Amino acid sequence: MGIIKIDPSRVRVEPKVPRAIASAKLSITDGLVEGFAADSALASGFAIDTGKFLIFFGTEQPDLDYIVNVFDGGLYRCYVQPGDYMMDSFVVTTTDLAGVPADPACISIIIMRAI
């Protein structure tokens, strides 16, 4: 068996590129998630409190190095706090523009990670 030698000057490393790995839309009525339209990367989502939604991945993430973009159309603030990222799920927080926990009629989610 021989030894393979690699010329380091010929090795090209491609930088990681941010890509969408998942997306979903939650329809919310009276504080309950009535509709959950998602691709296969997300398994489910449900309300855990006013303005708090727990979203589960279909397959656990390898690490916490992902970003959740969440929006409703402008009437609410929608975000994921730093401590609310987990490898199997994340928590979306929504408030009215005054910062009071509130439930929008729907929220859209796009999850990105460098691949």
Side-chain angles (χ1 to χ4, degrees):
M1 176 179 277
I3 296 175
I4 298 173
K5 293 187 178 182
I6 298 174
D7 180 358
S9 66
R10 298 190 63 168
V11 175
R12 194 171 121 192
V13 178
E14 294 290 327
K16 290 185 176 184
V17 177
R19 302 212 176 155
I21 61 164
S23 62
K25 180 179 179 185
L26 280 70
S27 300
I28 303 153
T29 304
D30 296 327
L32 299 173
V33 175
E34 294 291 327
F36 183 78
D39 60 30
S40 62
L42 295 173
S44 64
F46 59 92
I48 55 176
D49 201 353
T50 300
K52 294 274 188 187
F53 303 91
L54 181 60
I55 313 297
F56 285 96
F57 287 105
T59 302
E60 189 171 285
Q61 295 299 298
D63 53 40
L64 300 179
D65 193 19
Y66 63 92
I67 296 170
V68 178
N69 296 303
V70 57
F71 46 95
D72 80 307
L75 299 176
Y76 296 85
R77 291 185 175 125
C78 307
Y79 52 92
V80 178
Q81 296 186 50
D84 288 342
Y85 285 86
M86 294 155 276
M87 291 187 342
D88 65 342
S89 60
F90 56 92
V91 176
V92 172
T93 299
T94 59
T95 68
D96 62 17
L97 297 180
V100 177
D103 295 327
C106 71
I107 54 175
S108 297
I109 299 168
I110 297 173
I111 301 164
M112 308 280 293
R113 77 177 302 125
I115 297 178

